[in-house]
Amino acid sequence: MSFKIECPFCHQEMLAEEKWIGQEAECPFCSKTMIITKDGAVSQPLVNRNSSGEKIPSYLFLAIITTILCCLPLGIVSIVYAAQVNSKQMAGDIEGARKASQLALIWACIGIALSMGSGLLWGCFSVIFDYF
Amino acid sequence: MAGMGCAGIAGGIFLYSHDPTTTQWMPVCVFHEITGMYCPGCGSGRSVYALLHGDFLQAMRMNVLLYPMLLFAGLILWKPEIGKNSKVIWSVFFILIAYWVLRNIPFFPWNYL
């Protein structure tokens, strides 16, 4: 079975064999080296794309602080996402790992903001009610 | 990093001068307000207040898990790769969930958590 790929450098379309997947190939048009994947050709070597070298933060510190100091169980959600970051990265799912990392940060921030916001609102209301 | 340090110090000064049981300016636990149950973070404000006033025992009584967790959080800041290990993260998750369930059991010895 062959399928269509596009050179990531010169964008020329060509046919690739399925057994070439994962291998390096030289583009016959621009002579640059590309890697053939099942989704098409890419410019970076596979090792870098799946690299465990890329640092995707898990924000576990923020998650713990949110859970333990902000009086809100939202930090737990953040911890669950934090746990997915590394396993997804190990599995080569870089996009998923980045997404989990972002979600971990977002949930921790929601927890902190809600906790601070409710504290401020509560304080303001009590002061206003005491005044009248 | 510096921002977090400043926030920590500001929070400490604020907590030192405001008793969480009486002041109106403390974050109210939304979860506790809605459900009446304690969450893993309940009592941390009172606990830090007690600790800042030198009452170590009272600080432990308010939230036992707070200080081990803070120490652990510090460890993660120091060595971020620990905070990426999924086994470690799931352990933290299960400890927190267990603590959450146990401290809501309303009789001895769980009511001390």
Side-chain angles (χ1 to χ4, degrees):
Chain A
M1 268 288 283
S2 57
F3 60 105
K4 251 187 202 168
I5 58 169
E6 190 191 291
C7 171
F9 302 101
C10 66
H11 301 290
Q12 276 283 352
E13 281 197 355
M14 61 204 94
L15 286 177
E17 296 288 326
E18 215 156 274
K19 58 183 176 200
W20 297 352
I21 288 175
Q23 291 179 358
E24 285 190 354
E26 195 176 271
C27 171
F29 300 95
C30 67
S31 308
K32 282 182 178 152
T33 309
M34 58 186 168
I35 310 284
I36 296 166
T37 73
K38 65 177 181 347
D39 305 315
V42 290
S43 51
Q44 299 153 300
L46 276 178
V47 243
N48 279 353
R49 277 166 58 82
N50 291 352
S51 94
S52 37
E54 187 183 340
K55 288 213 170 8
I56 303 176
S58 69
Y59 297 112
L60 186 62
F61 174 77
L62 272 183
I64 290 181
I65 294 297
T66 309
T67 314
I68 210 86
L69 285 186
C70 291
C71 253
L72 268 178
L74 288 181
I76 300 274
V77 184
S78 180
I79 293 180
V80 172
Y81 281 117
Q84 294 171 5
V85 173
N86 213 32
S87 36
K88 282 198 173 161
Q89 188 175 4
M90 286 298 175
D93 183 6
I94 301 294
E95 273 310 301
R98 282 207 196 98
K99 212 167 188 181
S101 165
Q102 276 175 354
L103 281 169
L105 177 64
I106 289 170
W107 277 106
C109 288
I110 291 177
I112 293 172
L114 264 186
S115 146
M116 294 297 147
S118 67
L120 266 180
L121 265 182
W122 197 267
C124 292
F125 274 129
S126 334
V127 168
I128 293 168
F129 279 124
D130 285 352
Y131 184 74
F132 286 111
Chain B
M1 203 64 160
M4 274 194 280
C6 290
I9 291 170
I13 294 172
F14 178 81
L15 262 178
Y16 183 78
S17 48
H18 293 74
D19 182 355
T21 48
T22 52
T23 184
Q24 296 157 333
W25 293 99
M26 272 302 284
V28 194
C29 182
V30 182
F31 179 76
H32 183 70
E33 286 296 306
I34 295 172
T35 62
M37 291 197 292
Y38 301 111
C39 74
C42 278
S44 50
R46 281 164 284 153
S47 179
V48 174
Y49 176 81
L51 191 75
L52 287 174
H53 288 83
D55 194 346
F56 185 74
L57 208 69
Q58 181 73 359
M60 283 296 137
R61 275 218 47 201
M62 286 306 165
N63 193 328
V64 190
L65 201 62
L66 176 61
Y67 299 101
M69 272 297 160
L70 281 183
L71 279 180
F72 180 68
L75 183 72
I76 294 172
L77 271 192
W78 184 41
K79 290 201 153 109
E81 64 270 20
I82 298 174
K84 289 200 67 188
N85 187 325
S86 351
K87 273 184 198 151
V88 173
I89 302 180
W90 284 120
S91 314
V92 171
F93 175 78
F94 284 116
I95 289 173
L96 283 171
I97 295 289
Y99 185 60
W100 192 352
V101 173
L102 288 180
R103 72 184 323 203
N104 279 297
I105 301 174
F107 50 81
F108 185 85
W110 309 117
N111 49 358
Y112 274 96
L113 286 175

